[in-house]
Amino acid sequence: SNFVISFFNFINTPTEIAFQASGKPSVGTKISIIQILIIASTIYPLTVVFGLTGTISSVFLSLICTTPISFYYGTKLMKCSLKEVSQPIIVPLISSVSMIIIISGVKEYLLSNVSFIWFGGLVLFGIIIYIGILLVFERYSNYDIFTLIKRIAD
């Protein structure tokens, strides 16, 4: 769950920086206030019912609710469409989430004890899954991963 919260923070950081750089820090401040209000109204009940999981869920809920707002105002600020912003993110996101789910399932249901060798095997298996999913997108959509990699490398 810490990974998921970090992921949302990673996604939201560029828009927060854009708000600051464009001279509109009030947008980021308002989004932060919404996050605080969601946390303040949900943290106690969720913690009482679910313990530490409820506390983390409260923070996660605030991020889920405010990420679309951040994206909306970020795309408006940059004068681009949501598709232009999300296209480079969505396929790696799907690949990463799929890899995490598959690796977690393999570890949970097939491996009771993970040694160093099994850990290396899981890492290799994860890389193969990730690249495989990217190649499926490359084959059946107009994602064009190789052009994207060249643009990033340059």
Side-chain angles (χ1 to χ4, degrees):
S1 60
N2 214 5
F3 168 77
V4 175
I5 291 171
S6 298
F7 172 76
F8 274 98
N9 284 330
F10 175 75
I11 293 271
N12 290 328
T13 298
T15 54
E16 292 172 18
I17 292 169
F19 297 143
Q20 295 287 329
S22 68
K24 298 183 181 186
S26 64
V27 176
T29 302
K30 290 173 186 171
I31 291 170
S32 294
I33 289 170
I34 293 170
Q35 286 177 328
I36 290 168
L37 290 173
I38 292 170
I39 291 171
S41 63
T42 61
I43 197 163
Y44 181 74
L46 289 174
T47 302
V48 167
V49 174
F50 300 108
L52 185 58
T53 303
T55 305
I56 294 170
S57 298
S58 177
V59 174
F60 181 65
L61 180 65
S62 75
L63 288 169
I64 290 232
C65 292
T66 56
T67 295
I69 298 167
S70 182
F71 258 74
Y72 171 76
Y73 284 108
T75 56
K76 195 173 174 183
L77 176 71
M78 293 181 270
K79 296 180 177 123
C80 62
S81 70
L82 185 60
K83 182 182 178 185
E84 289 173 312
V85 173
S86 63
Q87 188 174 11
I89 297 170
I90 197 74
V91 173
L93 174 65
I94 292 169
S95 297
S96 297
V97 169
S98 301
M99 178 187 69
I100 289 167
I101 290 170
I102 292 169
I103 292 296
S104 297
V106 167
K107 184 188 168 294
E108 185 70 27
Y109 297 109
L110 297 179
L111 299 173
S112 59
N113 189 9
V114 179
S115 66
F116 184 74
I117 293 172
W118 280 112
F119 176 75
L122 282 174
V123 169
L124 182 62
F125 187 56
I127 292 169
I128 291 168
I129 292 168
Y130 186 85
I131 291 171
I133 293 170
L134 286 179
L135 291 175
V136 167
F137 273 103
E138 174 76 22
R139 173 103 169 129
Y140 295 106
S141 72
N142 59 352
Y143 183 63
D144 202 13
I145 185 72
F146 298 111
T147 303
L148 183 62
I149 291 170
K150 284 180 186 176
R151 269 194 348 204
I152 291 171
D154 291 338

